[in-house]
Amino acid sequence: MASSPKLDAKIPQGEIDQKWTKYRSTVHLVNPANKRSLEVIIVGSGLAGASAAASLAEMGYKVKVFCFQDSPRRAHSIAAQGGINAAKNYQNDGDSVYRLFYDTIKGGDYRAREANVHRLSEVSGAIIDQCVAQGVPFAREYGGVLSNRSFGGTQVQRTFYAAGQTGQQLLLGAYSALQRQVGMGAVQLYARHEMLDVVNIDGKCRGIIARDLISGKLERHFGHAVLIASGGYGNVFYLSTNAMGSNVTAAWKAHKKGAFFGNPCYTQIHPTCIPVSGDHQSKLTLMSESLRNDGRIWVPKKAGDTRKPTDIPEEERDYYLERRYPAFGNLVPRDVASRAAKERCDAGFGVGASKLAVYLDFAANMMRYGQIEANKQNLHNPSKEQIRELGRAVVKEKYGNLFDMYKQITGEDPYEVPMRIYPAVHYTMGGLWVDYNLQTTVPGLYALGEANFSDHGANRLGASALMQGLADGYFVIPYTIGDYLSEEIRTKAIPTDHEAFVKAEAEVQERINKLMTIKGTKSVDYFHKQLGKIMWEKCGMARNAEGLKQAISEIQKLREEFWKNVRVTGEANEFNPELEKAGRVADFLELGELMCMDALNRNESCGGHFREEYQTKDGEALRDDDNFAYVAAWENKGNNAWELHKEELKFENIKLAQRNYA
Amino acid sequence: MSKENFLKASLGKKLVMGITGLFLITFLVVHVSLNACIFVNDGGVLFNEGAHFMSHNFFIRVMEIVLFAGIFTHMIQALILTLHNKKARPVAYAVNNGAANSKWYSRSMGVLGSLLLIFFVVHWANFWIPTKVAVFNGEEHNTFENMKAVFSKEYFVAIYMVGVISLCYHLLHGFPSAFQTLGLNNKKYTPMLKTAGAIFSIVVCTLFAAMPITMYLGIIK
Amino acid sequence: MSGNMNLTLKVWKQKNKDAKGALETYQVKGISPDMSFLEMFDVLNEQLITEGKDPIAFDHDCREGICGMCSMYINGRPHGPVKGVTTCQLHMRSFKDGDTIVVEPWRSAAFPVVKDLAVNRSAFDRVIAAGGFVSVNTGNAKDANNILINKDDADDAFNAAACIGCGACVATCKNGSAMLFVSAKVSQLALLPQGQIEKEARVLNMVNQMDEEGFGACSVTGACEIECPKGISLENIARMNREFIGANATKK
């Protein structure tokens, strides 16, 4: 298989561990005086967007940042709980750049581009250094050094964390750096602005159309380059762990203006989320993967067992992850853990009212920690109660905020009874196709962080999203953008009365007018919920050809109905959250179809993409490397038609193998 | 930032409030100690000696000016801050449950302070002005008799009770708050400081309250 | 219908920043105690849309208590009656069938109303832009473990840094003061060695910006600490006062 001529990944020549160093040292530079007249637009203010904005502004570029929230600090990176990986080997447990690279490629089920992943591993250490220098308060040991913990899919401790709020602390670090540049006038901030189209002139991306969400006015903004860092599209499922506002719109508009969409079907279903409790539910809440360090996952051995979990004796419990995957136990990768939970529940062993849940139990480790504490405190013959109390305190320090959140949401105390958890949509590995420079198929248009498809293959390892977002923003784009902008130093700022801007704005206006004038009978949320249901049932944790075909036709029908019968209240020229939602759901209704098409095209199982037709007899994902070791990059042909292009994935450093966590 | 800006900053203004507040607290100690002399119940001999000392000692006279400067600075700064604070919330809440998160008197320092101001006017008219007039005329002022006369009237006793209770609540909040404003807050010592502040406020105000009451009831003759 | 609670809601409606607002009364039925407060609002909005009425605009995003976007003043308290949670983590089991609930926006001159319950909190961003950072450009850093930090200090810094910037402190303060918010950032950086180099300029500039934005002064009522969904301590305000006094004493 050869890659499509339209997809030049621009991977530098040379040995894998020399590619980035060499490339970085030879990539074209822009001199400081020229940087001052080059403008960069960044859409999204999460880890990738904020870190890119701060770094590029520090270098001297003129930067504009757009976010739909009221402040850049609200971006959903803030909700990441567990941690950030880095190949520091501080624990002296055999970690290295190569091992992180290997774990990530393997964790991604051999569907990621080697060169990108290796670069990610190389810069991972510098991210931690940068964050610490900014004052990010990572967890520390008593000696004053940084603390680490384990995450799924690895056998070393390389995850840095700040209690259960790592994403928050990292984002606030990047946000501080960004605000510093805002204060100095190097970045112009456009909060409560939503990008509604990109503007291409002569084949290059030259700006965006944005809507001021407070006044409803459309604005035109020129940029020599545009960076999409708008996150993932998990909300296509309606229920996900994404924020309510997380959306695909910016990426989708870029896609419709020429950027290919890579691997849309790769969705990460996170194994440890609080189960759905009713129809009213608006979103799902994650319980950090870090809990699997200390929580043991089990279901009763007897199907339909209705006893209270604490009444079920040890020998009648099935610790199915430990049973099936003794080497990694409860710390298998997310896709594996999620499927195993679904398998147990589908077989009738699920717990809780809905029977769609498994237990995550801390009792054993609470006792173990309690015993260690008792020894530390020189307590002789402590009572069981004392040990429990001591252990409880240790668990509280590690995961207190998560336990509180669980209690608040479910009304149950996880210190007393095991948590009930079930998989939920969490992250999308797919996204805009980018080359080694993070540039999409449109020159001058880049995608960073979750918005691109690049580093996680078919399944992302825990604590790698934060790593990738910050790698892209702090340490990749500041170099790679030079390759393009060095050629643009003669391009003067294009006035926004250029016909391309006028035309793009008119199109955006027309679409808004259309949404406002349908005045149908059903709310935006109605359509969103319907779409979510189709996606979850037919393009969720397990997929099959027949279901996907049905899903495609159901989505087409739903989309048609949406454009005939949606009701958007209020006016276009005011703060109107319903109109915002309508635009986003309209885009999801197109994306959903593409996701199903991609899933249908990929006749194999890999990582988060599990096709029921393709599994081993033990129920593990069965890859087809001969026919599918490629990135599926979809070109939009208009009117919901797409053309598939393939980028062949060459594995020159890691041998393709069946993943084995047993 | 220049010195002017230091006082222009909200933190600078609060610091002025804290420092003047603590200074006024030290004055209260002197005031209450002296007045407590009446409890010797010697017909006011000891008390009048003290009063004489206070009205004729040069250092005390200088401190008196500082005291008034302190009171007025505290008041004016409070007024400026209150106006500033009002401007920070132009539209009031329809429903506000302040009791859920703070003590009523911590939210009522302005009202308590205003009550205290009214009380001070009465108090100065009752005692401070007659003393000054006597000193000016070169006469000896019998402050103890002055007290007995004032505290024989119910309405004065009532006004003094309102004044003392206002003072007590003002102190209950003001004492620990001043330390917070000065930047002194510490897990270990702040609870102790709060207790000390409460004891101080209650003891001082009980002593002050005991004066009009005991005189009115004729216990102190 | 997923539940059996019926409630009367009195909600602030205001078309935009300049319009006059008023409380409007709504009835919601069939509310489940497992719903979050915002999901109850979703039900109400769905109902209003069905009736062809304008739904209530309110800010919300992550719905897991960390983004700081949700901001409702519920029955006279920011984020409602339960301690240590944001509005999105407040559940209807904290209310009773038949209750009347009054919901207002944060009220502060520095937080103008955008629409209904949504307010503009960009003042906070400008305070951070004035000094809430360490001036270290990307690439300047040395190896992370070259900076050793006492665990207690690191923990205290983390506790201060846990602020989500929701503005509940301003909303509940009788003076509309932002001291808790500003001091949390000042404290975080004052507690860490990385923050020492710029500590004087930081506190002076941030306090200056805070005042310029129109926030009130601190009366030490302690309401902010009680209402803060992340439990940010008043100690931070004392630390900021200390930093402010020190910075003024040593500045040239």
Side-chain angles (χ1 to χ4, degrees), chain A residues 346-358:
Chain A
D346 289 350
F349 295 91
V351 299
S354 63
K355 299 288 169 206
L356 284 177
V358 299

Side-chain angles (χ1 to χ4, degrees), chain B residues 187-205:
Chain B
K187 271 195 193 70
K188 210 160 148 189
Y189 301 114
T190 298
M192 288 188 223
L193 189 76
K194 279 193 172 157
T195 314
I199 293 171
F200 174 84
S201 315
I202 292 165
V203 168
V204 166
C205 294

Side-chain angles (χ1 to χ4, degrees), chain C residues 17-251:
Chain C
K17 174 163 73 77
D18 305 313
K20 218 169 118 53
L23 286 173
E24 280 194 28
T25 306
Y26 304 92
Q27 307 290 335
V28 282
K29 295 193 170 64
I31 298 299
S32 152
D34 287 333
M35 281 182 190
S36 74
F37 199 81
L38 296 183
E39 284 165 351
M40 184 269 289
F41 260 74
D42 292 342
V43 170
L44 171 61
N45 272 350
E46 188 71 31
Q47 181 183 315
L48 290 172
I49 292 167
T50 310
E51 292 167 7
K53 292 184 187 147
D54 195 24
I56 296 153
F58 62 93
D59 272 331
H60 63 108
D61 200 25
C62 78
R63 295 208 179 184
E64 48 187 280
I66 195 76
C67 76
M69 194 128 172
C70 58
S71 47
M72 292 185 183
Y73 210 76
I74 302 162
N75 283 344
R77 297 183 70 181
H79 298 307
V82 179
K83 213 183 149 179
V85 300
T86 52
T87 303
C88 64
Q89 296 290 290
L90 175 67
H91 282 67
M92 296 313 293
R93 65 181 85 92
S94 300
F95 297 88
K96 289 195 303 291
D97 183 32
D99 277 358
T100 296
I101 308 173
V102 180
V103 189
E104 298 174 77
W106 284 178
R107 298 210 182 276
S108 157
F111 293 165
V113 170
V114 170
K115 187 182 178 186
D116 301 342
L117 301 173
V119 299
N120 180 348
R121 285 166 287 192
S122 55
F124 273 5
D125 291 328
R126 291 187 291 273
V127 170
I128 297 295
F133 47 74
V134 174
S135 295
V136 49
N137 283 1
T138 304
N140 285 171
K142 56 182 177 177
D143 186 86
N145 261 350
N146 278 341
I147 307 173
L148 296 182
I149 302 173
N150 172 295
K151 187 176 186 305
D152 290 336
D153 286 341
D155 288 350
D156 284 348
F158 170 77
N159 288 334
C163 167
I164 56 173
C166 66
C169 48
V170 174
T172 194
C173 176
K174 75 180 194 72
N175 304 336
S177 169
M179 289 285 277
L180 196 66
F181 168 80
V182 181
S183 70
K185 188 48 79 180
V186 168
S187 272
Q188 178 205 338
L189 297 175
L191 281 159
L192 296 172
Q194 301 93 306
Q196 298 309 307
I197 292 166
E198 299 168 279
K199 61 186 279 190
E200 282 95 8
R202 175 179 306 116
V203 68
L204 295 177
N205 291 336
M206 289 180 77
V207 166
N208 191 31
Q209 188 64 36
M210 169 181 88
D211 287 345
E212 269 183 28
E213 296 292 345
F215 293 108
C218 176
S219 287
V220 204
T221 67
C224 54
E225 182 184 36
I226 304 287
E227 299 295 5
C228 173
K230 296 294 154 186
I232 308 288
S233 159
L234 273 189
E235 277 176 57
N236 294 304
I237 295 184
R239 191 176 290 107
M240 178 158 84
N241 286 331
R242 230 158 39 227
E243 293 281 317
F244 180 78
I245 295 167
N248 272 292
T250 57
K251 73 159 182 254

Side-chain angles (χ1 to χ4, degrees), chain A residues 75-357:
Chain A
H76 198 54
S77 305
I78 201 134
Q81 296 168 352
I84 176 166
N85 288 330
K88 281 284 199 186
N89 194 30
Y90 281 162
Q91 303 308 321
N92 196 32
D93 56 2
D95 200 7
S96 65
V97 166
Y98 182 82
R99 201 180 286 277
L100 174 54
F101 162 64
Y102 175 83
D103 285 347
T104 307
I105 291 280
K106 178 184 169 192
D109 217 354
Y110 305 92
R111 289 294 174 262
R113 196 189 281 152
E114 276 192 343
N116 283 52
V117 177
H118 199 276
R119 174 177 66 189
L120 175 67
S121 307
E122 285 176 60
V123 303
S124 65
I127 296 171
I128 303 302
D129 301 341
Q130 182 63 28
C131 294
V132 167
Q134 288 169 344
V136 169
F138 283 119
R140 287 180 183 266
E141 306 290 349
Y142 281 102
V145 296
L146 292 160
S147 179
N148 290 111
R149 60 185 172 201
S150 303
F151 254 65
T154 68
Q155 290 175 314
V156 293
Q157 292 195 313
R158 64 161 73 100
T159 304
F160 295 80
Y161 64 99
Q165 289 154 253
T166 318
Q168 180 199 26
Q169 294 310 316
L170 294 175
L171 181 63
L172 292 182
Y175 160 76
S176 290
L178 166 63
Q179 287 305 116
R180 174 173 159 241
Q181 298 302 319
V182 171
M184 296 199 291
V187 173
Q188 268 187 297
L189 185 62
Y190 295 85
R192 290 206 200 260
H193 275 66
E194 181 165 28
M195 183 204 112
L196 290 179
D197 210 351
V198 294
V199 179
N200 295 338
I201 298 174
D202 300 332
K204 289 177 175 174
C205 183
R206 293 300 189 192
I208 64 166
I209 304 296
R211 180 167 178 267
D212 177 337
L213 298 182
I214 295 182
S215 68
K217 280 201 187 77
L218 295 181
E219 298 172 1
R220 306 168 193 168
H221 294 273
F222 165 79
H224 288 89
V226 174
L227 277 51
I228 305 285
S230 55
Y233 49 86
N235 264 351
V236 68
F237 291 87
Y238 185 70
L239 283 180
S240 80
T241 66
N242 283 187
M244 301 302 286
S246 298
N247 64 79
V248 76
T249 290
W252 197 248
K253 302 302 185 195
H255 171 56
K256 292 181 89 171
K257 284 282 171 81
F260 293 5
F261 210 102
N263 297 333
C265 79
Y266 290 163
T267 311
Q268 177 158 86
I269 316 283
H270 196 292
T272 52
C273 299
I274 301 177
V276 177
S277 73
D279 295 338
H280 57 266
Q281 198 131 355
S282 59
K283 80 152 270 159
L284 296 171
T285 304
L286 176 75
M287 286 286 107
S288 167
E289 178 162 322
S290 62
L291 292 172
R292 286 198 272 147
N293 272 299
D294 289 317
R296 298 177 70 196
I297 294 176
W298 62 276
V299 291
K301 278 188 180 160
K302 196 174 81 195
D305 195 330
T306 51
R307 283 177 292 175
K308 279 196 294 188
T310 42
D311 291 344
I312 300 178
E314 198 60 28
E315 60 277 11
E316 291 177 44
R317 300 175 177 190
D318 177 15
Y319 295 92
Y320 57 87
L321 287 177
E322 296 171 26
R323 169 170 58 80
R324 285 176 66 177
Y325 310 101
F328 282 71
N330 292 294
L331 282 173
V332 290
R334 293 175 173 175
D335 56 332
V336 177
S338 290
R339 268 199 300 281
K342 179 175 164 25
E343 187 275 328
R344 283 292 83 187
C345 292
D346 289 350
F349 295 91
V351 299
S354 63
K355 299 288 169 206
L356 284 177

